[in-house]
Amino acid sequence: MEAVGVVIVVGPKVTTCKVGDYVAYAGFPVCSYTEEMILPADRVVPVPPSIDPIIAAAVLFKGLTAHVLVRSCFQIGPEHTILVHAAAGGVGSLVCQWANALGATVIGTVSNEVKAVQAKEDGCHHVIIYKQENIVDRVMEITSGKGVDIAYDSIGKDTFEESAACLRFRGYMVSFGFASGSPEPVKFSVFSDKCLHFTIPSMMLYTKAREDLLAASEELFDNVAKGVLRVRANHKYPLSQVAQAHLDLEDRKTTGSVVLIPDN
């Protein structure tokens, strides 16, 4: 659902790019495992010369998602303390870096010591290893009992109630993934007791208008070029070895992003 390539032909009414340009897309259509593809011109964005095409391919989908989380559905600032689950994951690591750069206090959760080190590198001021510590107790200790302003939850079922319990009065519950499955039916009292806000932001909807897509991608690439955001494109495979890439993913032999490169 994301790719970078060189334009080899344009339709007669296309004015947003020209042959020879590097462009990228993220989202539908689901067809990026190919050497050539036809895309609607209004869904591709220019890749600036300052960005390696491999880095652009590795970051665009996750980076636009992170942009929605910290810049659109809620604008993070120095006055905010946030909780980020899966802080060492693809989107989580970008959210932590971006929020830190915007001045927020970042609390991240991870599963082990190795990921805790990465989360620290990516801007977490506090890291909770959830297999060793109680998330809610630790968050309340860090925040002196106040709770966090925003909880970013991509896990779902396993963490939903904990995320809500970590929020302050009028805090924001931002759910953007369900890695452990959909949460059980939620009682309204979970939100009404503290007047919580709840949203499920979609990157595709937030960037549906081309002007929003361009603005978000430009800000993303600018932060990558400046070094504000570190992109871990740790693995490259020829497109002909896509099956091996998936096997390595399933066997957890990879870290960061995997990029497939056409053989020719």
Side-chain angles (χ1 to χ4, degrees):
M1 295 178 68
E2 58 186 334
V4 169
V6 179
V7 178
I8 58 174
V9 65
V10 297
K13 297 181 180 180
V14 173
T15 59
T16 55
C17 60
K18 64 183 185 300
V19 173
D21 287 350
Y22 271 97
V23 295
Y25 92 102
F28 295 106
V30 185
C31 60
S32 63
Y33 287 13
T34 184
E35 294 179 349
E36 297 180 6
M37 59 194 304
I38 299 172
L39 291 167
D42 64 349
R43 296 310 301 169
V44 301
V45 299
V47 177
S50 57
I51 303 296
D52 185 319
I54 289 176
I55 296 298
V59 76
L60 188 59
F61 195 102
K62 294 181 286 292
L64 288 177
T65 301
H67 182 277
V68 167
L69 298 176
V70 303
R71 300 288 287 145
S72 298
C73 77
F74 195 102
Q75 293 199 3
I76 295 292
E79 69 274 22
H80 298 124
T81 298
I82 71 171
L83 174 67
V84 183
H85 288 295
V91 175
S93 64
L94 293 173
V95 169
C96 292
Q97 293 178 61
W98 212 328
N100 180 296
L102 293 169
T105 299
V106 183
I107 304 171
T109 73
V110 297
S111 60
N112 57 52
E113 296 283 356
V114 173
K115 292 182 178 180
V117 172
Q118 180 187 314
K120 280 282 189 180
E121 293 175 352
D122 287 341
C124 284
H125 300 90
H126 308 275
V127 180
I128 301 170
I129 302 176
Y130 62 80
K131 291 184 177 180
Q132 301 176 12
E133 304 172 280
N134 181 282
I135 293 176
V136 179
D137 291 347
R138 188 73 181 96
V139 165
M140 290 304 169
E141 180 184 355
I142 293 167
T143 62
S144 301
K146 296 178 182 178
V148 296
D149 298 284
I150 311 120
Y152 291 110
D153 194 326
S154 61
I155 307 301
K157 183 178 181 180
D158 290 350
T159 54
F160 191 90
E161 291 187 5
E162 288 178 313
S163 294
C166 289
L167 288 167
R168 64 160 175 82
F169 172 63
R170 294 195 301 179
Y172 280 75
M173 175 76 170
V174 182
S175 180
F176 66 100
F178 304 99
S180 65
S182 297
E184 298 295 332
V186 180
K187 295 179 180 179
F188 282 112
S189 59
V190 171
F191 295 98
S192 63
D193 288 351
K194 292 193 288 185
C195 297
L196 301 180
H197 303 265
F198 176 57
T199 183
I200 306 177
S202 163
M203 183 275 285
M204 292 298 295
L205 291 178
Y206 270 84
T207 60
K208 187 175 182 179
R210 177 158 178 80
E211 58 267 28
D212 294 331
L213 174 64
L214 286 174
S217 62
E218 287 172 5
E219 187 173 2
L220 169 65
F221 287 145
D222 184 56
N223 277 294
V224 172
K226 291 178 178 177
V228 173
L229 300 176
R230 179 192 300 110
V231 183
R232 291 181 169 86
N234 294 341
H235 304 275
K236 307 174 190 66
Y237 294 77
L239 181 59
S240 59
Q241 294 181 18
V242 61
Q244 186 61 52
H246 276 265
L247 289 171
D248 290 349
L249 279 168
E250 292 169 17
D251 290 340
R252 300 188 177 186
K253 293 180 179 179
T254 67
T255 58
S257 294
V258 173
V259 181
L260 303 174
I261 303 174
D263 298 63
N264 61 1

